[in-house]
Amino acid sequence: MLRKLLFQYQDKRQLVIAVVGAFLGMTFLITSIHYLIKVNDFGKGADILGPNTVIVQKKVSSFNTLNIAKPDFSLSEIEQMKKESFILDVKPVESNNFNITIETADPSVPRFRGDIFIQTVDPDFLNIKSKDFHWKQGDTLVPILMPRDLLVMMNMFMSSKDMPQISDELAMDIKFKFALISDTGKQYISCRIIGFTNDMPSVLVPQSFMTWANNRFAPDAEQKITQIMISGKENEFGLVEQMLEKKHLESKNAQVAIGRLKSMVGTLILVVLGISIIAVFLSGLVLIQYLQLLLSKNLYEVRTLMRLGHHPNTLVKNFFVYFSKVFGIIGMLSLAAFIGFKLFLDSVFESGGLYIDTGLSLLSILALVLAYSLFALASYLSARKGIYEQNNG
């Protein structure tokens, strides 16, 4: 009876408009947050390189052939690139100055041997635990990250010997050894695969091992930097591409394509997210305005009920419960619509070649809970203020 008395002068049209606006805003809000997270996570865990990271070198031209242009980077060039606002960091990729081979050292597999090229990069650019990718002088085992192309070559070798091919897991259990060769001799040291990379054409070793090996087996050789790693800011990969073109640098097409795709999709989702926040905010204002209008139309009833002994908190509770139910219905409808959108968009991304994680993101659900909480709190404060003003008056 009390609720019926308080809500007898409702204008359903304004309520419907506010509910529809809040529903659309909250649906697009949680959808955009979900896909912003998933797109930014795209590619993580598939390789050892960090996000928005590319390996670049100078473009080869006729000037390089004639030894007019230098293929290596100077420290001043690296420092100049670091100053760009869209660049997070730039680090050199160091290479071996001595000859090195890798071969199997496991009696359970046929002997495989090949000349290789080893490199090292700053650990901050790698998605790998530093404790796994660590070496110090005196260690008998060197952890390595192997290019997947080398594993393919090993499997071709195994196939030619009528041997079973090697999976990633099995390759990480096989014992290998390096042969480090200089003009004065050769030294063997055991190594173990701890991961694979699709982007690096060389075997990656820890920085400490590279420094020790270069100093021992090529002490007089000059260390030239022919490749660098560039980490760009989120959603600004287009600026990185422009810089590469301007400075006549190049990278693997796959790295550039992934970075460009993430930047474009991420920017689009950010625009949708901004519009969604504005829509949620405006619909919230309309709902609060509707509550205040409802209070103003029921001033006589509110004052009469308080004179009859009803505590103001009881009246506040009625308004709060009513609008909490409205917000709850909007939240559940938005969640249902989000799940429907997600099923559709996941299939669209998959057909377009963007294989993102299809699991629910916790942050998007938390955003829905936060929006509901803010709506409920605003309705409570607004109802409390309006009713207590009448009580004091």
Side-chain angles (χ1 to χ4, degrees):
M1 181 66 183
L2 182 62
R3 183 171 300 176
K4 184 177 181 181
L5 184 64
L6 288 173
F7 295 97
Q8 60 180 322
Y9 297 115
Q10 290 191 75
D11 183 357
K12 297 292 186 180
R13 291 173 299 177
Q14 187 177 8
L15 178 62
V16 169
I17 293 173
V19 167
V20 171
F23 164 72
L24 293 176
M26 291 177 70
T27 300
F28 287 116
L29 176 68
I30 57 179
T31 303
S32 56
I33 290 176
H34 170 81
Y35 282 103
L36 185 62
I37 294 171
K38 295 303 180 181
V39 169
N40 284 332
D41 288 342
F42 175 65
K44 292 182 180 179
D47 204 352
I48 53 88
L49 292 185
N52 303 309
T53 300
V54 291
I55 307 165
V56 303
Q57 58 274 331
K58 292 186 176 181
K59 290 182 179 180
V60 178
S61 65
S62 56
F63 293 104
N64 297 98
T65 307
L66 298 173
N67 290 325
I68 297 176
K70 291 184 177 181
D72 54 308
F73 294 89
S74 65
L75 293 179
S76 60
E77 288 178 300
I78 294 175
E79 290 300 322
Q80 185 179 3
M81 281 186 274
K82 284 184 179 180
K83 295 178 181 178
E84 299 288 354
S85 61
F86 49 85
I87 298 295
L88 291 177
D89 202 1
V90 181
K91 291 287 185 177
V93 179
E94 298 183 27
S95 307
N96 59 297
N97 295 325
F98 52 90
N99 294 325
I100 183 172
T101 64
I102 189 171
E103 61 182 270
T104 54
D106 197 319
S108 62
V109 296
R111 184 174 183 268
F112 171 85
R113 177 185 176 278
D115 295 323
I116 60 168
F117 182 56
I118 63 173
Q119 291 182 309
T120 185
V121 299
D122 191 293
D124 292 339
F125 285 84
L126 303 176
N127 279 330
I128 192 168
K129 295 179 180 178
S130 58
K131 66 178 182 179
D132 297 330
F133 196 57
H134 175 75
W135 183 90
K136 65 180 184 298
Q137 190 170 346
D139 289 351
T140 58
L141 192 68
V142 181
I144 63 174
L145 298 166
M146 179 178 285
R148 198 165 297 279
D149 289 344
L150 185 56
L151 181 62
V152 172
M153 185 171 64
M154 288 178 59
N155 278 327
M156 292 175 62
F157 172 78
M158 294 294 183
S159 179
S160 67
K161 298 294 184 181
D162 294 325
M163 296 287 295
Q165 294 188 331
I166 302 173
S167 64
D168 289 4
E169 293 76 15
L170 180 59
M172 295 171 72
D173 291 332
I174 295 176
K175 298 177 182 178
F176 292 88
K177 63 180 179 180
F178 283 145
L180 292 78
I181 307 166
S182 67
D183 295 335
T184 57
K186 179 189 296 186
Q187 179 177 342
Y188 288 97
I189 185 169
S190 299
C191 56
R192 180 176 65 90
I193 300 172
I194 64 170
F196 297 89
T197 170
N198 294 313
D199 296 310
M200 298 293 291
S202 60
V203 174
L204 291 182
V205 298
Q207 172 71 59
S208 53
F209 175 77
M210 179 69 77
T211 301
W212 171 82
N214 272 332
N215 290 338
R216 175 159 185 161
F217 295 94
D220 300 324
E222 179 187 0
Q223 179 65 61
K224 293 185 177 181
I225 304 171
T226 56
Q227 286 185 318
I228 58 174
M229 299 191 75
I230 299 177
S231 178
K233 292 183 179 180
E234 293 280 358
N235 306 317
E236 294 188 23
F237 196 81
L239 298 176
V240 177
E241 281 193 276
Q242 292 177 20
M243 185 193 71
L244 297 183
E245 187 67 27
K246 180 180 178 180
K247 294 182 179 294
H248 303 287
L249 306 177
E250 61 183 357
S251 179
K252 286 186 66 173
N253 289 334
Q255 291 177 305
V256 175
I258 291 176
R260 183 189 302 126
L261 180 63
K262 290 175 65 176
S263 181
M264 291 174 60
V265 176
T267 300
L268 179 60
I269 293 176
L270 278 175
V271 172
V272 176
L273 177 60
I275 296 173
S276 302
I277 292 174
I278 294 174
V280 170
F281 178 73
L282 292 177
S283 59
L285 288 180
V286 174
L287 280 170
I288 298 304
Q289 184 185 40
Y290 174 76
L291 185 152
Q292 293 171 343
L293 182 62
L294 192 60
L295 275 171
S296 65
K297 287 184 176 181
N298 288 273
L299 287 180
Y300 175 77
E301 286 77 7
V302 169
R303 290 173 180 172
T304 302
L305 288 170
M306 286 190 291
R307 291 193 184 106
L308 291 175
H310 289 276
H311 196 277
N313 285 341
T314 304
L315 305 182
V316 172
K317 181 181 177 181
N318 276 272
F319 281 100
F320 172 70
V321 170
Y322 176 81
F323 281 92
S324 294
K325 289 181 179 179
V326 171
F327 299 146
I329 293 172
I330 294 173
M332 288 187 290
L333 290 175
S334 299
L335 183 60
F338 159 67
I339 293 174
F341 271 126
K342 180 181 175 300
L343 294 174
F344 170 73
L345 291 174
D346 283 346
S347 63
V348 171
F349 282 130
E350 184 177 350
S351 63
L354 187 62
Y355 299 99
I356 62 175
D357 180 17
T358 57
L360 287 173
S361 58
L362 178 62
L363 192 58
S364 60
I365 304 301
L366 291 177
L368 180 62
V369 174
L370 178 62
Y372 171 80
S373 301
L374 291 176
F375 274 147
L377 178 62
S379 66
Y380 172 78
L381 294 176
S382 182
R384 180 181 175 83
K385 179 182 178 181
I387 290 175
Y388 270 85
E389 282 180 350
Q390 297 304 316
N391 183 50
N392 296 331

